Amino acid sequence: MLDSERLATDSKPNILLKGTKEGLLLLLNEVVSFESLLEDLSTLIHGEKKSLFEGPDLKISVDYGERVFAASEIREILDCLAKRENLILREWGPSTAAKLSLFNSSRKFGPQTLLKGTVRAGQRPVFEGDVVVIGDVNPGAEIVASGDIYVLGRLRGIAHAGFLGDWSAIIAAAEFAPMQLRIADIVSRAPERDGKPLRTFMEFAYLKEDSMAVDKLDSLHAWTAMARQSS
Amino acid sequence: MGTAIVVTSGKGGVGKTTSTANIGTALALLGKSVCLLDADIGLRNLDVVLGLENRIIYDIIDVISKDCKLEQALIRDKRFEHLTLLPAAQTKDKSILSPETVKELVGALKELHDFVIIDCPAGIELGFQMAVSGADRAIVVTTPETPAVRDADRVIGLLEKEGIRNPHLVVNRIRPQMVKRGEMLDIDEIVQVLAIDLLGIVPDDETIIKNANKGEPTVMKPDSKASLAYRNIARRILGESVPLLSFEEAPGFWGKMKKVFGAK
């Protein structure tokens, strides 16, 4: 357990532990003295929370940011890690891929807006960033956003996502019956319905090699992962 | 101080004037003092529907330009003492009209009546803005056709912008047979799209046309479904809760026989 005095002077832990797809990522504080950093590392791995590091082989990445180490200091840290035999050091450096992937996972889009109410025929609200509509987008209405568009209601009008040219923008709706969809500069028209019942499951539209694709919302997660990999 | 209600639709020919005349008359039947204001300037026909055309001496332009007193221009209905009409002008210069002057006029009419029902012109231009400017509430009339519903949706958006938050919906000219066969937009679907409160549904009724030609509002005769529908709308405006009409035809002789024998 941390003693209360240290807790008061230093609210942020010296070592941040993050879970990533490739294993654990240790973010070392850049400014704190080497002694306390090493002490914390040792406590982390062998102390109270050591169960985190137990079990089969565990890949770890260590990111030390702007900190400059002496050669002896590096050896001390590696020795400390080596005391646990199941730890495999995957990455060691100032800006590891593991850390970068952490920041990429939240898209760096602008603001997000919540729009409550119905977007009616003839209206054309424009948003910077993502927009969530709590209501319907009626036929004859057009909703425009530079990011994603989510409609928690019926999408029956026109939706234009990523209008400033963001190809990774998506359009999702609880009831997906749009008149027209636009993502960046690609336009897609709703298929002729001729009397068929409305599709009432959640769907989303995205761009796939210059053309628009529509998929069930369950696939959104898989798609996001794929899109991130390719970008 | 009365309430001003604008009757509007966006699309023309869905029955704004008929609805204005009938709702106004129905309110008068219920003992309210009502003024019908024809804001369809240039095309005047509310007076025709009410059969008051031959009594017009002054009109809305005369009142606003102060050529006559407000009381002089109000035409008293021949059937109800507390139902009056302020007719639209047909040929006079209407540049004197503006949302502000109309609002002032509606305010003056509200002092004299329980209800001021404003017949709005079709479209969403200046005429619409003037008709809406003095209104406290709005009734949006639509028919079960996609273009009419689309325009109604547009108008509801514009009403919200004018500060009229909760417009009410009247779905006019329903043909029960067609709805039954699924050939007409369903009421639920219309209400779902427009997302406003339903004030009433009015069946398509030949007597309405017949009565409009005669200059007699349909509500005067209680024998038709449309008449009943408008009376119910008036009662709902006064805050009563009246169930919606059902358009199920009463079974005829053969229908009854079939029922007895259990045939479909």
Side-chain angles (χ1 to χ4, degrees):
Chain A
M1 179 152 323
L2 291 168
D3 65 74
S4 54
E5 202 188 325
R6 272 222 0 245
L7 205 64
T9 52
D10 191 2
S11 56
K12 245 176 107 180
N14 289 336
I15 299 167
L16 276 173
L17 196 62
K18 299 271 180 195
T20 70
K21 260 183 283 176
E22 282 82 27
L24 285 173
L25 167 66
L26 276 69
L27 292 168
L28 306 188
N29 187 300
E30 296 171 359
V31 287
V32 82
S33 75
F34 178 73
E35 284 70 36
S36 62
L37 186 71
L38 188 65
E39 193 192 323
D40 279 10
L41 182 67
S42 162
T43 327
L44 184 70
I45 295 181
H46 306 291
E48 193 81 4
K49 288 185 183 167
K50 65 179 179 195
S51 57
L52 269 175
F53 298 90
E54 279 166 357
D57 287 356
L58 181 65
K59 288 175 188 160
I60 63 165
S61 307
V62 179
D63 195 299
Y64 50 82
E66 307 268 299
R67 180 183 278 276
V68 183
F69 284 114
S72 61
E73 291 173 341
I74 296 178
R75 203 174 309 122
E76 276 187 75
I77 290 185
L78 293 181
D79 282 347
C80 178
L81 292 172
K83 282 185 200 152
R84 284 215 159 271
E85 285 171 353
N86 62 333
L87 294 187
I88 299 164
L89 190 59
R90 221 177 128 259
E91 267 188 297
W92 167 266
S95 53
T96 53
K99 183 169 90 176
L100 294 179
S101 77
L102 211 61
F103 289 111
N104 283 341
S105 63
S106 57
R107 294 170 71 195
K108 46 195 180 300
F109 270 163
Q112 292 174 326
T113 319
L114 209 59
L115 178 69
K116 288 175 189 161
T118 311
V119 186
R120 297 186 180 278
Q123 296 178 333
R124 186 179 183 270
V126 180
F127 298 93
E128 199 196 330
D130 302 343
V131 61
V132 179
V133 184
I134 316 284
D136 298 347
V137 177
N138 273 355
E142 183 179 349
I143 183 160
V144 181
S146 64
D148 299 344
I149 296 173
Y150 305 91
V151 181
L152 295 186
R154 300 177 202 90
L155 172 57
R156 293 178 171 178
I158 300 173
H160 189 175
F163 81 103
L164 296 176
D166 182 358
W167 280 52
S168 66
I170 66 156
I171 301 166
E175 192 179 310
F176 205 78
M179 198 160 282
Q180 203 184 79
L181 291 174
R182 302 179 194 166
I183 295 177
D185 51 355
I186 306 292
V187 178
S188 148
R189 203 155 37 86
E192 301 296 334
R193 233 179 286 134
D194 40 72
K196 267 189 282 169
L198 287 176
R199 291 178 291 183
T200 48
F201 44 86
M202 303 259 287
E203 285 183 308
F204 77 106
Y206 58 99
L207 287 184
K208 190 176 163 188
E209 290 153 9
D210 297 13
S211 66
M212 212 169 292
V214 173
D215 208 338
K216 280 187 195 166
L217 204 65
D218 317 356
S219 329
L220 178 58
H221 190 74
W223 175 82
T224 327
M226 196 193 71
R228 256 177 230 145
Q229 242 167 34
S230 62
S231 66
Chain B
M1 192 70 171
T3 311
I5 305 175
V6 63
V7 179
T8 181
S9 72
K11 190 175 178 297
V14 297
K16 280 182 298 297
T17 303
T18 312
S19 296
T20 307
N22 281 298
I23 293 171
T25 310
L27 283 168
L29 266 169
L30 292 167
K32 299 290 166 189
S33 72
V34 181
C35 175
L36 303 178
L37 171 61
D38 192 348
D40 199 351
I41 316 289
L43 295 165
R44 140 185 121 181
N45 38 38
L46 187 53
D47 50 310
V48 183
V49 173
L50 290 163
L52 301 172
E53 199 180 6
N54 55 1
R55 304 183 182 208
I56 296 176
I57 300 165
Y58 300 110
D59 56 46
I60 183 168
I61 301 266
D62 295 317
V63 175
I64 288 180
S65 60
K66 303 218 160 48
D67 286 341
C68 74
K69 284 189 191 135
L70 178 57
E71 288 79 0
Q72 280 180 302
L74 288 177
I75 299 164
R76 207 160 290 281
D77 185 81
K78 49 191 174 188
R79 295 150 290 230
F80 298 99
E81 208 183 315
H82 41 261
L83 176 64
T84 57
L85 166 74
L86 183 59
Q90 257 175 326
T91 48
K92 290 173 188 147
D93 177 25
K94 53 192 179 208
S95 60
I96 191 170
L97 290 172
S98 72
E100 289 73 37
T101 52
V102 174
K103 191 173 180 176
E104 206 183 305
L105 173 68
V106 172
L109 288 169
K110 271 160 62 177
E111 298 285 337
L112 302 171
H113 301 86
D114 295 330
F115 286 98
V116 179
I117 316 279
I118 306 161
D119 185 19
C120 180
I124 51 172
E125 278 76 43
L126 188 61
F128 167 81
Q129 284 161 22
M130 286 194 294
V132 164
S133 60
D136 307 306
R137 291 163 66 177
I139 294 175
V140 177
V141 182
T142 190
T143 56
E145 297 154 73
T146 309
V149 174
R150 190 71 47 86
D151 287 1
D153 193 32
R154 175 99 173 95
V155 158
I156 294 165
L158 294 172
L159 286 170
E160 279 169 1
K161 225 165 76 187
E162 296 285 333
I164 302 179
R165 286 273 151 220
N166 273 319
H168 287 89
L169 181 67
V170 168
V171 185
N172 196 8
R173 298 231 183 98
I174 292 168
R175 297 193 189 183
Q177 292 302 320
M178 281 183 78
V179 174
K180 222 176 184 175
R181 292 196 300 262
E183 292 164 352
M184 202 168 231
L185 285 182
D186 180 19
I187 311 284
D188 288 340
E189 208 178 321
I190 298 170
V191 175
Q192 210 179 44
V193 167
L194 298 180
I196 59 172
D197 292 338
L198 183 63
L199 187 63
I201 49 181
V202 183
D204 197 20
D205 196 331
E206 284 174 12
T207 55
I208 292 219
I209 303 169
K210 227 159 58 190
N211 291 332
N213 290 340
K214 274 195 286 185
E216 260 179 19
T218 306
V219 272
M220 301 291 300
K221 303 210 171 122
D223 51 357
S224 77
K225 285 253 176 184
S227 159
L228 198 56
Y230 278 120
R231 285 175 185 221
N232 285 350
I233 287 170
R235 286 166 66 189
R236 288 186 200 110
I237 290 174
L238 296 179
E240 270 184 68
S241 88
V242 188
L244 285 178
L245 280 183
S246 90
F247 298 127
E248 288 288 306
E249 300 279 324
F253 175 74
W254 285 111
K256 279 180 189 158
M257 292 306 282
K258 278 180 189 166
K259 232 179 187 171
V260 168
F261 292 110
K264 285 215 165 173

